[in-house]
């Protein structure tokens, strides 16, 4: 036993638990009941079937918000509302790619979010190939003038999804770097791990003052086809990529609450994002996330009024750059949040949890380890960092708990036409709901005061 644990044990003995803690529902019983959950499936099925794709700040996302309000009210939540915000709108156009010359053939692409346009006539140019981001960075200024840059990488599937952070740079900043060196357009190997002929979309970023150029992802089979062609000699391609920036539009966060009995004890925020990319139906990204959070809150609500208010937030416009999370943090900066966490990594089994809890509330992590253990979830030693949506509120010192889903399948479907309901495994989804229900119950009813923390690494 470490000195820290010994002190915690002595402190626990010295302070009898307040009366409400003794009447709080048993998290283990809630966990076991949630292993039969159908609420999360019902939400995921409904949202992906009745709405489908929900691109941020479009009519489809607005319909998804109306659907969500009706759903959350029907579930019995209180204070169900939409908080709107403004953001730039980007919509997809045509997207075709063909190799010219003796090996003429079409390749499969999809535009990256915020891609510029080639114009209706398209562009024709020679490929400049960069096997890695480092190769692209090393290219001399102006050396890509008039060329189409093609950036590859070597992402592999990992349980913790960590390769997304490393190789995702090819998508997030590769186009900007290529544009700065004169490229007329950019192709990247999809940030994904499947060998289906499905390119993966996702947002790319432009520096202030850069005019966006056309930027698209090749599916993995097409990227490797292009690499083989490049081995045979120079390759010329024609690209037609015509997305549009449509000026400012409206998105919004959908909020629902379970009011707590002790308004001074702070708010427990759990959520996911309501918007999705436009080429699939946003099942694993992130219908399951909003479904898991709402199902957990509903289960805790039905077990009796919690001590703390549970606030379920279905964030808008996460995919194009976390606009919903930023808007929420700004609008609610003066409220006391004691936890903020989101589910945005699919719905495969949760295998690990990490916490970022203040000194006086470390006992929550210990109780969590006990109740999550039987679900096959072990305690990690990283500092919980949250994600895009809760990142801005966590940066103000709000504690967090991260429940990590397995990432082994996630990047096979992420941001592809294949992100559809059939990829959700109902049994694994139930394991997620069980873990989230137990975690939400433990934090919402914790007798400890939960103070602030040094922010973890937001990702
Ligand atoms: Zn997501």
């Amino acid at each position: 036993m470490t000195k820290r644990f010994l002190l915690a044990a002595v402190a626990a003995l010295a302070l009898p638990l307040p009366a409400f803690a003794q009447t709080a529902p048993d998290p283990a019983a809630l966990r076991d009941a949630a292993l039969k959950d159908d609420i999360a499936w019902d939400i995921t099925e409904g949202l992906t079937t009745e709405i489908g794709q929900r691109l941020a700040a479009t009519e489809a996302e607005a319909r998804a918000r109306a659907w969500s309000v009706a759903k959350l009210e029907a579930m019995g939540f209180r204070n169900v509302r939409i908080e709107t915000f403004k953001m730039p709108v980007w919509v997809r156009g045509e997207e075709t790619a063909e190799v010219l010359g003796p090996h003429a053939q079409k390749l499969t692409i999809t535009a990256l979010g915020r891609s510029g346009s080639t114009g209706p006539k398209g562009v024709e140019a020679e490929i400049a190939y960069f096997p890695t981001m480092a190769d692209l960075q090393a290219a001399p200024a102006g050396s890509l003038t008039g060329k189409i840059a093609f950036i590859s990488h070597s992402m592999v599937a990992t349980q913790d999804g960590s390769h997304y952070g490393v190789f995702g740079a090819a998508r997030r900043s590769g186009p900007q770097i290529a544009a700065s060196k004169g490229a007329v357009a950019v192709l990247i190997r999809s940030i994904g791990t499947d060998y289906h002929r499905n390119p993966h979309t996702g947002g790319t970023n432009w520096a202030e003052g850069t005019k966006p150029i056309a930027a698209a992802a090749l599916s993995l089979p097409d990227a490797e086809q292009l690499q083989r062609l490049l081995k045979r000699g120079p390759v010329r391609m024609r690209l037609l990529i015509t997305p549009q920036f449509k000026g400012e539009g409206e998105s919004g966060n959908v909020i629902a609450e379970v009011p707590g009995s002790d308004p001074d004890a702070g708010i427990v925020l759990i959520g996911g994002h309501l918007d999705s990319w436009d080429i699939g139906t946003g099942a694993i990204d992130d219908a399951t996330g909003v479904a898991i959070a709402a199902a957990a809150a509903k289960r805790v609500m039905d077990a009796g009024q919690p001590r703390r208010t549970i606030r379920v937030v279905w964030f808008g416009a996460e995919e194009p750059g976390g606009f919903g999370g930023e808007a929420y943090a700004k609008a609610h900066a003066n409220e006391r949040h004691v936890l903020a966490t989101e589910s945005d990594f699919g719905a495969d089994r949760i295998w690990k949890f990490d916490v970022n809890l203040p000194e006086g509330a470390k006992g929550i992590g210990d109780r969590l380890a006990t109740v999550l253990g039987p679900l096959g979830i072990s305690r990690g030693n990283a500092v919980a960092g949250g994600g895009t949506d809760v990142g801005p509120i966590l940066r103000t010192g709000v504690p967090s708990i991260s429940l990590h889903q397995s990432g082994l399948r996630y990047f096979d479907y992420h941001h592809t036409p294949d992100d559809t309901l059939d990829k959700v495994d109902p049994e694994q989804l139930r394991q997620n709901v069980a873990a989230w229900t137990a975690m939400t119950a433990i934090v919402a009813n914790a007798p400890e005061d939960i103070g602030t923390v040094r922010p973890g690494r937001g990702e």
Side-chain angles (χ1 to χ4, degrees):
M1 186 181 272
T2 65
K3 192 173 172 198
R4 187 161 58 87
F5 286 135
L6 185 62
L7 287 173
V10 170
L13 286 174
L15 295 168
L17 296 178
F20 57 78
Q22 286 152 21
T23 57
D26 174 21
L30 286 174
R31 172 200 66 201
D32 293 345
L35 286 171
K36 299 184 189 73
D37 181 78
D38 286 324
I39 303 168
W41 179 267
D42 174 63
I43 294 170
T44 306
E45 193 265 355
L47 190 56
T48 56
T49 305
E50 294 170 32
I51 307 297
Q53 70 84 11
R54 309 171 290 283
L55 187 66
T58 65
E59 176 275 338
E61 197 204 29
R63 261 192 300 132
R65 285 194 293 280
W67 184 96
S68 303
V69 166
K71 189 73 179 175
L72 292 162
E73 277 179 344
M75 288 171 74
F77 288 108
R78 305 283 291 278
N79 307 325
V80 179
R81 62 197 188 270
I82 296 169
E83 294 182 354
T84 58
F85 52 86
K86 299 284 185 204
M87 58 169 286
V89 186
W90 175 92
V91 293
R92 189 175 303 281
E94 286 186 87
E95 37 199 31
T96 60
E98 53 190 309
V99 173
L100 305 172
H103 309 298
Q105 56 187 290
K106 289 183 176 167
L107 298 180
T108 306
I109 60 164
T110 194
L112 302 180
R114 281 188 302 278
S115 163
S117 173
T118 59
K121 296 203 176 89
V123 294
E124 239 185 74
E126 189 170 322
I127 295 288
Y129 174 45
F130 301 99
T132 68
M133 277 291 282
D135 297 321
L136 174 65
Q137 269 149 350
S143 64
L144 296 182
T145 302
K147 294 188 173 161
I148 298 169
F150 166 43
I151 312 157
S152 194
H153 59 84
S154 55
M155 182 178 176
V156 298
T158 57
Q159 185 168 244
D160 67 1
S162 52
H163 263 194
Y164 186 55
V166 182
F167 294 103
R171 188 195 80 213
R172 291 186 296 265
S173 53
Q176 157 67 31
I177 295 167
S180 75
K181 295 176 194 267
V184 291
V186 182
L187 293 174
I188 65 162
R189 174 181 163 122
S190 283
I191 309 303
T193 49
D194 63 294
Y195 275 86
H196 293 275
R197 213 170 177 188
N198 289 326
H200 297 233
T201 189
T204 193
N205 304 313
W206 305 106
E208 199 71 35
T210 301
K211 185 175 179 289
I213 57 174
L218 291 151
S219 75
L220 266 57
D222 289 273
E224 294 188 1
Q225 180 83 334
L226 181 52
Q227 281 172 264
R228 285 189 295 271
L229 289 169
L230 285 160
K231 272 193 190 152
R232 286 164 165 80
V235 174
R236 271 187 83 75
M237 286 187 72
R238 179 184 299 133
L239 301 180
L240 177 69
I241 301 169
T242 60
Q244 282 180 277
F245 292 91
K246 309 266 271 187
E248 195 174 62
E250 187 173 87
S251 180
N253 296 322
V254 180
I255 298 180
E257 290 177 347
V258 182
S261 61
D262 182 355
D264 297 329
I267 295 162
V268 175
L269 187 164
I270 59 175
H273 67 86
L274 185 59
D275 69 306
S276 75
W277 284 111
D278 52 335
I279 55 180
T281 65
I284 63 163
D285 190 13
D286 185 30
T288 47
V290 298
I292 289 162
K298 163 85 174 148
R299 289 182 162 279
V300 177
M301 173 170 73
D302 289 351
Q305 188 180 30
R307 180 185 177 204
R308 294 183 174 84
T309 293
I310 300 166
R311 182 176 286 167
V312 178
V313 185
W314 290 4
F315 292 93
E318 187 271 349
E319 296 293 3
F323 292 97
E326 294 286 350
Y328 178 89
K330 211 170 147 194
H332 297 273
N334 295 327
E335 286 174 299
R336 183 183 176 208
H337 294 80
V338 296
L339 186 90
T341 179
E342 67 187 66
S343 176
D344 187 15
F345 200 52
D348 278 355
R349 290 190 78 80
I350 295 170
W351 61 284
K352 182 181 85 148
F353 78 95
D354 290 309
V355 305
N356 188 13
L357 292 165
E359 206 49 51
K362 298 276 190 214
I364 290 172
D366 300 336
R367 301 201 289 282
L368 206 51
T370 303
V371 82
L372 296 185
L375 296 174
I377 303 169
S378 49
R379 187 178 190 155
N381 54 15
V383 177
T388 303
D389 287 315
V390 299
I393 198 103
L394 293 185
R395 286 194 279 278
T396 67
V398 174
S400 192
I401 293 170
S402 297
L403 301 176
H404 298 283
Q405 286 108 347
S406 169
L408 287 171
R409 290 199 305 160
Y410 190 64
F411 294 105
D412 289 352
Y413 310 120
H414 180 248
H415 297 178
T416 73
D418 235 2
D419 179 3
T420 49
L421 182 67
D422 48 287
K423 308 310 180 305
V424 180
D425 173 350
E427 282 309 312
Q428 298 192 66
L429 179 63
R430 289 189 181 105
Q431 187 255 13
N432 276 255
V433 176
W436 275 80
T437 302
M439 184 273 289
T440 303
I442 286 172
V443 180
N445 290 308
E448 298 97 333
D449 184 60
I450 306 174
T452 55
V453 291
R454 246 185 67 219
R457 181 180 59 87
E459 63 248 25

